[in-house]
Amino acid sequence: MKKLLILFLIVPMYCWSQSNFEKAEKLFQSKKYNEAQLLFEGILKNNPLDLKTLEYLGEIAAHQKSWVKGAEYFKKLKELKPTVADYFFKYGGCLAMHAVEVNKIKAFSMVGDMKEAFEKAIELNPKHVQARWALIEIYLQLPGILGGSESKAISYSNELAQFSPIDGYLSKGRIDEYFKRYDAAEKNYKKAHEIGNSKVTFQKLYNLYLNKLKDPKKAQELKRKFDA
């Protein structure tokens, strides 16, 4: 009898939780982040270790540009489930975005944690594209005295090329563009666009023509072909 009573108490609570989770998911998918957040936070009170709820709250924090809060959620996730590459990547991503908002001294103090998170994501998922892109940006934008390194950025670009030729060429183009080697950047972006012919590859080459090479004729010709 006692077990039956417990069951009657638990089942309605479980159904309520499931129902609210589905509502919160729909709100999230409809980009009603504030409403979804309230429901997910209520669910988390009853299930503080629920991975999916924590992940949704981390995503919502990122959409709201609450980078510190987002980092806290993804830090908890990577501690609870240290085998999921994306938890480490998203944790590092929140740290990186927060670093943009703070002073340089504080930002530099966060670099070690960022690199460690992105490197762990790659260790867990050797084909993790975004983590390599993040590391390329770190090594490009850090001053040499603090660990910036073109050779390390190129190394991650070469890794990308092994399993994603488009990202390989785009990242090489990005490195060339960063160091103002615009002719070399054009060659790499053109190769990426020849393979991908996507909005991303078009935009990279178009922006280079328009803003760096100052060649509106090439930009318009590229746009005419892409739109045809």
Side-chain angles (χ1 to χ4, degrees), residues 13 16-17 20 40-50:
M13 189 182 295
W16 177 87
S17 176
N20 270 12
F40 281 128
E41 285 175 345
I43 294 165
L44 196 66
K45 285 180 182 178
N46 294 318
N47 301 283
L49 303 180
D50 186 74

Side-chain angles (χ1 to χ4, degrees), residues 33-35 37 57 59-67 69:
Y33 299 124
N34 290 337
E35 295 173 56
Q37 180 184 347
L57 284 167
E59 294 285 355
I60 289 168
H63 281 293
Q64 295 170 336
K65 299 184 179 180
S66 300
W67 307 117
K69 189 185 288 186

